[in-house]
Amino acid sequence: SVVAAYIRSLGIEGIRIRDTEKTLGADVSAQYRNWAQPSAMVALLRLIADHSPLSPEHTELLLRWMTETGTGEHRLKGMLPPGTIVAHKTGTSGRDNGITHATNDAGLITLADGTKLAVAIFVADSPQSESVREGVIAKIAKAIWNDANRGSH
């Protein structure tokens, strides 16, 4: 409740945090109580990139953690040019009756000119394999990258 209240205090609507990671791991239905709209995640990322509510040191630390993460190599980063800086956070549920409820990646992709694109791609309730789900995310990120580099922000 404290984290949820903090996110709302930042003016971000569309993110609901009710359960802990431990609860999410133990109760498949809990993931439907915790959710975020992609547009809300993009708003939160834009806030962090443009006018972070955190101190400069904590903003730098958070972005470093998000950049150095070892997860999601085949998601947002999957089809981007080598060396592209991507500060991101993945989210993945377990499989339940052949369905993976969440395969997500949200982050800031840095273009060559230093512009940061805020992106959130969520694949929900998919029967597809992990490689297919991650490939969808990678293809969407690549399309966004290509569009942004044509000057169409």
Side-chain angles (χ1 to χ4, degrees):
S1 64
V2 172
V3 174
Y6 178 69
I7 298 294
R8 281 192 309 277
S9 80
L10 298 174
I12 306 294
E13 297 294 331
I15 297 175
R16 178 163 300 159
I17 304 165
R18 289 194 171 173
D19 295 286
T20 66
E21 285 292 320
K22 185 175 181 179
T23 301
L24 290 172
D27 177 4
V28 119
S29 67
Q31 63 198 321
Y32 293 104
R33 293 189 301 261
N34 282 18
W35 52 265
Q37 297 169 344
S39 59
M41 288 304 292
V42 166
L44 181 58
L45 290 164
R46 280 273 41 108
L47 182 63
I48 291 167
D50 298 338
H51 306 288
S52 180
L54 305 174
S55 70
E57 296 80 15
H58 288 152
T59 300
E60 181 182 332
L61 180 63
L62 174 63
L63 293 175
R64 182 165 44 89
W65 285 339
M66 291 172 65
T67 302
E68 294 175 355
T69 183
T71 63
E73 290 298 314
H74 302 290
R75 295 185 190 185
L76 287 181
K77 297 169 73 171
M79 297 178 76
L80 298 181
T84 301
I85 298 169
V86 181
H88 66 119
K89 176 65 180 97
T90 60
T92 311
S93 71
R95 267 179 102 70
D96 177 44
N97 295 320
I99 300 293
T100 302
H101 300 288
T103 306
N104 306 329
D105 205 356
L108 296 165
I109 300 171
T110 303
L111 300 177
D113 68 1
T115 302
K116 288 184 174 36
L117 301 174
V119 178
I121 304 170
F122 298 169
V123 177
D125 297 326
S126 176
Q128 298 298 319
S129 68
E130 180 177 42
S131 64
V132 169
R133 296 187 319 271
E134 290 187 331
V136 166
I137 292 171
K139 287 175 187 170
I140 293 169
K142 178 65 171 169
I144 293 167
W145 168 267
N146 288 342
D147 187 58
N149 280 303
R150 279 195 293 276
S152 303
H153 299 264

